[in-house]
Amino acid sequence: MYSKLSNSRNIEMKKNEVPQDKSNLESANIKEMYYAVDENGEYTTELSTGWDPKTIALDNAIKDIEERTEIAKQKVLNNTTSPIEYYMELHKMDVGILASYVGMWAWRVKRHFKPSVFKKLNKKILQKYADIFEITVEQLKDIHK
Amino acid sequence: MEINFTHKQSAHCENGVVSNLMRFNGFEVSEPMVFGIGSGLLFSYLPFLKVNHAPVVTYRAMPGTIFNRFAKRTGVKIKREKFSTAQKAKARLDENLEKNNPVGLQVGVYNLLYFPEEYRFHFNAHNMVVYGKKEGRYLISDPVMEEVTSLSEKELEKVRFAKGAFAPKGHMYYPIEFPDKLELKKAIVKGIKHTCKDMTAPVPIVGVKAIRKIAKLIRKWPAKKGVKTANHYLGQIVRMQEEIGTGGGGFRYIYGAFLQEASKILENDQLSTMSKEITQIGDLWRDFAVDASRIYKNRSATEDGYNKVADQLATIADKEEAFFKKLKKVV
């Protein structure tokens, strides 16, 4: 009753069809659990080492963050943003998440991206950011440290 | 101290915590049963929220709702606590462990060091059980892991007080009252009806309507957002669908397992047929993921490719609509 798509497998996810592709799960000794049917059509579980369509999506997401971090780094070096933006990207955060960690409004965090504003930030606020990024204030001020 | 707690791996963290805590308290309930009775299955598009700079879709009910609905429908009472400070959160946790009571915790994933780096995003709705403390380390039963693990006090505090969307605020929960006997039959019917209602809701961002909405958006993304962003968005949909915890196919296979188990308990053969049907729909979701990955793998794609995966989603929406309308009548 189902129209077959170009790359459909035989109907129903079978236990022996649970993907065992290579992924970084292995390095952390994790296998994820799938639900699949056995030869009698009974549902059971099977562990999987990974699945390429997902691994590619994950890899791309990481690449995207690396790109964002690199762009932020260049902006810091060109003095068009403060190191806060760089560390934010490095920690896979966005403004909303960072604002939630420092307990400030997002607009205030964004303002701290301005190099001129960043330069005038007091020790207490700098320390707050440094603590969240788990670095020293010196490292916060200079991304090469 | 170490509580005598049996760790059993599950696909999904919330189901797994519930199933494992129920077992500790003398009730054997499978993961699919928790998921089905708790009406865990869903599709929803959250247009106002962006995660990792991409729109968010979810294939499951909001965090916490699965356990709440399961408990309500089976007559179990849950105690939930959130905390203003880490000290209070720790004290209450230690108190419970002293009383030989393993507890569920909601935690953030970003600082869970035993996860591989690429899985550590700022996602705050992960669940685990703490079942003891030894040499200053908390004993952790994380349902998505094969084996138990442990975290230092500092490490646990960090994940309990992660910030951002769905910040856990130390959220701790555990069942406190149980019925004499777990009556599953009525609970199953309620769970199924609720899911059918959600999936066929006349709301553009929930259920099959949301699937159609996403299909429409996918067609527009390459022209409107550019190929790079379109691929990033598409990748996030696949990740949400196949994330650890979904059991594959955006939870559709777990739901199939639930319907199969339900057909035996309710002695209803039609549910067994429905189990097969949702499994086939799960396969269609997997096919969609395969074809979507072909697009974002090369970062170059023709408009045709986007239209093709959008067509697949539109087909899935039609099939799920028919499926849930039928399922509603079967129970």
Side-chain angles (χ1 to χ4, degrees), chain A residues 53-94:
Chain A
K54 184 174 78 163
T55 305
I56 299 165
L58 269 174
D59 288 347
N60 283 350
I62 295 294
K63 267 185 219 147
D64 184 67
I65 288 168
E66 284 168 357
E67 271 176 42
R68 298 182 70 93
T69 310
E70 187 52 38
I71 291 167
K73 190 177 182 177
Q74 290 309 320
K75 278 168 76 185
V76 174
L77 298 177
N78 297 335
N79 205 30
T80 51
T81 192
S82 78
I84 293 175
E85 186 175 3
Y86 164 74
Y87 285 112
M88 175 187 85
E89 296 291 356
L90 189 67
H91 284 265
K92 302 178 187 166
M93 293 178 174
D94 57 26

Side-chain angles (χ1 to χ4, degrees), chain A residues 7-70:
Chain A
N7 58 349
S8 286
R9 296 169 304 276
N10 290 331
I11 52 161
E12 293 176 17
M13 170 63 104
K14 294 272 177 7
K15 188 175 156 78
N16 58 13
E17 287 172 356
V18 168
Q20 304 295 346
D21 298 342
K22 240 186 145 32
S23 78
N24 276 332
L25 287 174
E26 203 182 342
S27 61
N29 218 0
I30 293 180
K31 281 185 185 167
E32 50 187 316
M33 190 178 264
Y34 271 77
Y35 279 78
V37 290
D38 65 16
E39 58 276 18
N40 302 318
E42 291 291 314
Y43 255 102
T44 178
T45 59
E46 179 70 292
L47 294 178
S48 161
T49 54
W51 191 41
D52 283 344
K54 184 174 78 163
T55 305
I56 299 165
L58 269 174
D59 288 347
N60 283 350
I62 295 294
K63 267 185 219 147
D64 184 67
I65 288 168
E66 284 168 357
E67 271 176 42
R68 298 182 70 93
T69 310
E70 187 52 38

Side-chain angles (χ1 to χ4, degrees), chain A residues 115-133:
Chain A
S116 56
V117 175
F118 179 74
K119 254 182 229 149
K120 289 181 203 147
L121 287 181
N122 66 40
K123 176 95 206 282
K124 208 177 136 196
I125 290 183
L126 289 174
Q127 191 64 53
K128 231 179 187 177
Y129 282 110
D131 288 346
I132 285 154
F133 299 133

